C-alpha cells in the first residue's frame, strides 16, 4: 500500500547526454553525463541527494540499457525519455541494484514493490521469492464501494526529524547481516516443526535468537501460522485486528530485531497513545524518517494534533527542523508510482 503523498520529479528530455538536477529542497546544481561510467559509492559519507539519480544511471548501464537522452531523476524518468519499456518487476530489481550495489544498503525488494505495484483499496501481498504480487481488497463485501477517499480509516505519517542516510549508520546493515547468519533456520522453514525451531533458537546466541523470533513471527502475522493474520483482517475489514498486528510488528522490530533509535521509539510510543489510533510501527527500519499509524477516519485530525504536541515536548530540537504543516500528515491510501504526462494522462510504471 502507498499513501496519497509523494515527491514530484519534473523532467524534460534534452538533446545531449548531460543530466542537470535542481531541487526545491536542497542547494546547488548537479551535472553529470549518462554516458559516463557510474561507479558504486565506496564511502557512505559521500551519499547525498543526487546519489539516487546517479544510481539509476548505474543500474540501467549495468543492465545493458543504452542511455542517450536525459531525464531529470531516477528510473522512470530516464526510461521515459530514452523510450525504454521496462516492466514494474524489472524496475524493482533495478532499484535493488541501486540500493545494494551503488549505495551499499542491504535491503530487499519490499519497498520498491510497494511503490511500483500498489493498487488503491488493496493490500499488496508480495512473494519475495518469486517477486510476484497478489492483491487483497479491504473487506471483500465492499469491492464495488471502494472509491477514492471512502475507506473507513486514515494513515498518520509522523516525521521524526532524523534525516541521515541509512548506509551512514551501521545499524540497519548490521541487522540484515546478523539475520543472514541464520541460513539453516531460513532455508528449512517449511520442513522444521515449530517446537524444533524454538529448540534451535534456544541454543543460538541471544541476539540471533531474537532475530529469528522476529523473522518467524513476522511471517505468521502477515500470512500464515496465526489464528488472525494481517491478510485475513484486511480482507474482512477488521481494523481493530489489523491495528493490533501492526503494533505487534512494531514491538517485535524494537525488542527482537533491535531496530529503531531513541527518537523513533518515542514517536512510535506516542502514536500508540493517540486518540483513535488502531496500530502503529516504524515506516521502515526505524533509524530515521517517520512512523505511521492506522487511525479511525473521524479522529484523524485529533490524533495528529496530539502526536505533534507530544513529540514536540519529547524532542523540541528535532521538531524545530520540520515545517509546522509537515510534522504529522493525515494521509489516505494511494496508488502506484507512474509518469504523469503534460496532458494529464498517466503512464503506469
Amino acid at each position: 500500500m502507498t499513501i496519497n503523498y509523494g515527491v514530484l520529479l519534473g523532467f524534460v528530455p534534452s538533446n545531449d547526454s548531460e543530466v542537470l538536477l535542481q531541487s526545491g529542497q536542497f542547494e546547488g546544481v548537479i551535472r553529470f553525463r549518462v554516458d559516463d561510467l557510474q561507479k558504486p559509492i565506496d564511502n557512505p559519507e559521500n551519499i547525498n541527494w543526487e546519489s539516487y539519480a546517479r544510481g539509476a544511471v548505474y543500474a540501467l548501464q549495468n543492465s545493458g540499457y543504452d542511455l542517450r537522452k536525459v531525464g531529470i531523476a531516477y528510473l522512470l524518468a530516464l526510461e521515459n525519455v530514452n523510450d525504454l519499456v521496462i516492466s514494474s518487476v524489472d524496475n524493482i530489481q533495478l532499484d535493488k541494484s541501486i540500493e545494494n550495489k551503488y549505495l551499499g544498503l542491504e535491503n530487499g525488494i519490499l519497498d520498491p514493490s510497494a511503490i511500483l505495484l500498489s493498487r488503491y483499496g488493496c493490500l499488496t501481498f508480495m512473494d519475495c521469492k518469486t517477486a510476484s504480487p497478489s492483491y487483497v481488497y479491504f473487506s471483500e463485501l465492499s469491492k464495488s464501494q471502494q472509491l477514492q477517499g471512502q475507506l473507513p480509516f486514515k494513515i498518520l505519517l509522523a516525521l521524526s526529524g532524523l534525516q541521515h542516510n541509512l548506509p551512514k549508520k551501521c545499524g540497519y546493515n548490521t541487522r540484515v547481516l546478523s539475520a543472514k547468519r541464520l541460513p539453516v533456520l531460513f532455508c528449512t522453514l517449511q520442513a522444521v516443526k515449530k517446537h524444533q525451531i524454538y529448540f534451535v533458537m534456544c541454543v543460538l546466541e541471544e541476539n540471533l535468537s531474537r532475530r529469528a523470533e522476529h523473522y518467524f513471527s513476522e511471517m505468521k502475522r502477515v500470512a500464515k501460522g496465526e489464528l488472525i493474520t494481517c491478510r485475513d483482517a484486511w480482507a474482512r475489514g477488521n481494523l481493530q485486528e489489523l491495528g493490533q498486528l501492526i503494533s505487534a510488528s512494531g514491538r517485535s522490530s524494537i525488542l527482537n530485531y533491535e531496530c529503531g533509535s531513541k527518537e523513533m521509539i518515542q514517536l512510535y510510543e506516542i502514536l500508540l497513545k493517540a486518540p483513535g489510533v488502531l496500530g502503529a510501527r516504524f515506516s521502515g527500519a526505524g533509524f530515521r524518517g517517520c512512523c505511521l499509524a492506522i487511525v479511525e477516519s473521524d479522529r484523524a485530525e485529533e490524533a495528529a494534533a496530539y502526536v505533534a504536541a507530544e513529540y514536540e515536548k519529547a524532542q523540541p530540537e528535532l521538531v524545530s527542523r520540520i515545517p509546522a504543516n509537515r510534522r504529522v500528515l493525515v494521509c489516505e491510501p494511494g496508488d502506484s508510482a507512474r509518469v504523469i504526462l503534460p496532458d494529464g494522462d498517466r503512464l503506469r510504471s
Side-chain angles (χ1 to χ4, degrees):
M1 184 195 303
T2 60
I3 59 173
N4 63 338
Y5 277 75
V7 177
L8 290 177
L9 304 173
F11 63 93
V12 293
S14 70
N15 294 320
D16 58 33
S17 297
E18 185 180 54
V19 175
L20 185 150
L21 297 176
Q22 291 179 288
S23 170
Q25 182 178 1
F26 301 103
E27 296 181 357
V29 176
I30 306 299
R31 298 175 185 270
F32 62 91
R33 296 178 61 85
V34 294
D35 51 5
D36 288 341
L37 182 63
Q38 298 295 323
K39 297 181 180 180
I41 296 175
D42 294 326
N43 184 357
E45 295 298 325
N46 294 331
I47 295 175
N48 56 40
W49 71 271
E50 70 182 87
S51 297
Y52 270 88
R54 291 182 181 271
V57 174
Y58 167 87
L60 289 165
Q61 285 176 340
N62 282 272
S63 296
Y65 294 103
D66 182 22
L67 301 181
R68 293 180 297 274
K69 302 176 185 177
V70 175
I72 304 300
Y74 315 126
L75 291 171
L76 297 184
L78 288 165
E79 291 162 12
N80 181 269
V81 299
N82 285 279
D83 299 319
L84 301 177
V85 179
I86 301 177
S87 70
S88 294
V89 172
D90 287 339
N91 268 323
I92 290 168
Q93 295 303 320
L94 287 170
D95 184 83
K96 190 171 186 293
S97 177
I98 297 172
E99 302 269 14
N100 295 171
K101 298 178 181 179
Y102 186 76
L103 298 175
L105 180 61
E106 294 289 336
N107 66 332
I109 65 171
L110 283 181
D111 285 357
S113 296
I115 293 168
L116 291 168
L117 298 175
S118 287
R119 296 178 183 174
Y120 177 79
C122 294
L123 191 67
T124 306
F125 184 76
M126 191 69 184
D127 186 327
C128 292
K129 288 184 178 180
T130 63
S132 58
S134 58
Y135 299 94
V136 184
Y137 281 93
F138 178 76
S139 178
E140 290 290 337
L141 299 177
S142 60
K143 286 183 181 180
S144 62
Q145 302 171 15
Q146 292 180 21
L147 301 176
Q148 199 82 14
Q150 292 189 0
L151 291 172
F153 65 90
K154 304 288 186 184
I155 301 169
L156 291 189
L157 203 64
L159 277 66
S160 68
L162 298 172
Q163 297 181 336
H164 58 261
N165 292 308
L166 280 181
K168 292 184 180 181
K169 298 288 184 177
C170 64
Y172 178 78
N173 281 354
T174 300
R175 299 304 182 278
V176 175
L177 292 174
S178 69
K180 288 181 178 179
R181 293 178 62 190
L182 300 167
V184 175
L185 288 179
F186 289 178
C187 294
T188 61
L189 174 62
Q190 301 300 327
V192 179
K193 295 180 180 179
K194 183 176 180 179
H195 72 275
Q196 292 174 314
I197 290 174
Y198 282 97
F199 172 76
V200 175
M201 287 168 56
C202 288
V203 299
L204 290 172
E205 300 170 27
E206 182 181 356
N207 67 324
L208 293 183
S209 178
R210 289 197 297 270
R211 305 292 186 270
E213 170 66 26
H214 177 69
Y215 178 86
F216 289 115
S217 66
E218 284 287 80
M219 293 187 69
K220 291 177 183 178
R221 280 186 285 272
V222 170
K224 57 187 176 182
E226 296 284 2
L227 294 177
I228 301 169
T229 68
C230 283
R231 185 170 184 162
D232 295 336
W234 178 269
R236 288 185 284 105
N238 193 319
L239 291 174
Q240 293 288 343
E241 292 177 354
L242 180 69
Q244 290 170 7
L245 289 164
I246 291 172
S247 296
S249 174
R251 284 192 296 273
S252 182
S253 295
I254 295 168
L255 299 176
N256 294 322
Y257 211 56
E258 296 182 290
C259 276
S261 62
K262 172 186 174 182
E263 299 85 354
M264 290 289 287
I265 294 172
Q266 284 179 329
L267 187 53
Y268 162 77
E269 291 173 343
I270 289 169
L271 278 166
L272 289 178
K273 297 175 183 177
V277 165
L278 302 166
R281 61 156 294 126
F282 303 143
S283 66
F287 294 100
R288 62 164 185 176
C290 54
C291 292
L292 60 83
I294 302 293
V295 62
E296 297 168 2
S297 291
D298 58 356
R299 305 196 73 181
E301 296 295 340
E302 180 187 2
Y306 173 88
V307 173
E310 292 300 310
Y311 187 59
E312 186 172 18
K313 294 177 187 176
Q315 295 292 338
E317 183 178 348
L318 281 177
V319 170
S320 68
R321 304 174 190 173
I322 311 170
N325 63 343
R326 298 181 188 174
R327 292 172 183 173
V328 184
L329 302 176
V330 178
C331 313
E332 294 183 6
D335 212 331
S336 62
R338 74 279 310 283
V339 174
I340 303 174
L341 300 177
D343 59 6
D345 289 340
R346 295 183 174 188
L347 296 177
R348 275 202 171 271
S349 59

